[in-house]
Amino acid sequence: MTKEFYIDCDGVRLHAKLDRPTEAGRGPLCILIHGFTGHMEEDHIIAAQKAMNDAGVSVLRAEMYGHGGSDGEFRNHTLYKWVTNALAVVRYAQKLPFVTDLYLSGHSQGGLLTMLIGGMCAEAFKAILPLSPAWMIPENARDGSLLGITFDENHIPEKIVSDSWELSGDYIRVARAIHVEDEIARYDGPVVIIHGDDDETVPFSYAEKAGELYKNARVIPIHGDDHCFTRHLPEMAEAIRTFFEEEKSGGAE
Ligand code: FER
């Protein structure tokens, strides 16, 4: 059963969908967030949602500022706006009466967001699941590059223009102020990083590096897969389903 609605974030409407497994009573919920230029109906987001539902986990998909059916223009989105949005979604989820354990997952820029919010609200989550997390964005922004587009990091341009999108320079100003390592260090809970080892957008080495920095992380490589898991989507979904099945029986180890 899908319920569609908006979550208020200080007057900004965030488009959301809640999918509950059949015959669900009280139980776990996972928040699931798309990536840069993404939305909640992408194949890899739906596959992750279904895998969670199959394992008996309710899923709250939410679209962040300037994406999908949420308020805001894409060109005006920043990671600070996304962080504020995600905090509103976490607070919303925490008030849902049926929720027992809360989990957080997101793909790419949503995976970076998952890592940031994991550190900010560490006590809120039973585990976090960054999918192909693009946590090099802040580092790249400091070095003058975004998705292969270069700029002078000491003179931020008014806008960054690619073939398919345009972004305000404020995206860069915000991105370069963010230090993901600080939030990694603040999260001691279980982390499951799922990442294609043939990802050309976010190199797999970032999954390995995050896996080493976290105190309690597992990296699940999807061999030969790309950034959006287009080659082995069922394998990615199965990794998610297996993780949540293990959670039901008291966790792996
Ligand atoms: C970048 C690398 C990756 C970037 C964005 C991404 C805006 C995110 C991709 C995604 O969310 O799919 O340099 O700059």
Side-chain angles (χ1 to χ4, degrees), residues 35-36 108-109 134 136-137 140 146-147 171 201 227:
F36 181 85
S108 197
Q109 181 164 290
M136 75 304 176
I137 291 176
N140 288 1
L146 272 186
L147 276 171
Y171 178 93
T201 306
H227 188 52

Side-chain angles (χ1 to χ4, degrees), residues 90-111:
V90 170
R91 298 316 170 210
Y92 177 89
Q94 285 175 321
K95 287 191 194 122
L96 289 170
F98 70 83
V99 175
T100 53
D101 293 319
L102 187 60
Y103 296 84
L104 176 63
S105 182
H107 175 252
S108 197
Q109 181 164 290

Side-chain angles (χ1 to χ4, degrees), residues 51-244:
M52 292 169 190
N53 284 167
D54 285 349
V57 177
S58 297
V59 180
L60 177 60
R61 285 176 290 158
E63 289 170 334
M64 302 289 99
Y65 187 102
H67 287 68
S70 292
D71 285 346
E73 295 296 322
F74 175 83
R75 72 179 308 283
N76 293 327
H77 94 277
T78 69
L79 292 170
Y80 281 168
K81 283 177 183 164
W82 274 37
V83 164
T84 304
N85 295 164
L87 289 172
V89 174
V90 170
R91 298 316 170 210
Y92 177 89
Q94 285 175 321
K95 287 191 194 122
L96 289 170
F98 70 83
V99 175
T100 53
D101 293 319
L102 187 60
Y103 296 84
L104 176 63
S105 182
H107 175 252
S108 197
Q109 181 164 290
L112 160 61
L113 191 63
T114 297
M115 293 167 72
L116 296 175
I117 300 294
M120 290 178 186
C121 308
E123 65 295 336
F125 305 110
K126 180 103 186 299
I128 62 172
L129 297 89
L131 313 174
S132 325
W135 72 281
M136 75 304 176
I137 291 176
E139 178 184 313
N140 288 1
R142 284 189 277 279
D143 293 341
S145 125
L146 272 186
L147 276 171
I149 298 168
T150 55
F151 52 87
D152 178 354
E153 71 272 24
N154 298 313
H155 300 279
I156 304 297
E158 189 193 328
K159 59 186 181 182
I160 300 273
V161 182
S162 96
D163 292 344
S164 47
W165 48 258
E166 191 180 304
L167 256 187
S168 149
D170 289 349
Y171 178 93
I172 298 161
R173 294 188 173 86
V174 167
R176 65 179 184 173
I178 288 174
H179 294 273
V180 191
E181 289 83 353
D182 292 354
E183 302 316 317
I184 291 177
R186 288 193 176 104
Y187 187 74
D188 295 349
V191 183
V192 179
I193 301 168
I194 305 177
H195 201 136
D197 67 5
D198 207 14
D199 186 338
E200 289 176 354
T201 306
V202 179
F204 180 72
S205 57
Y206 281 92
E208 295 176 308
K209 194 170 157 198
E212 284 162 20
L213 291 174
Y214 275 115
K215 292 172 200 76
N216 183 7
R218 203 192 318 171
V219 177
I220 303 179
I222 306 297
H223 295 296
D225 217 346
D226 57 21
H227 188 52
C228 293
F229 306 99
T230 65
R231 299 173 198 151
H232 303 290
L233 198 53
E235 205 177 307
M236 180 277 258
E238 188 55 21
I240 290 178
R241 200 186 62 80
T242 303
F243 168 74
F244 282 110

Side-chain angles (χ1 to χ4, degrees), residues 1 18-29 52-53 55-59 97-99:
M1 187 197 69
L18 175 64
D19 289 279
R20 303 211 57 202
T22 37
E23 295 171 42
R26 275 171 60 78
L29 175 115
M52 292 169 190
N53 284 167
V57 177
S58 297
V59 180
F98 70 83
V99 175

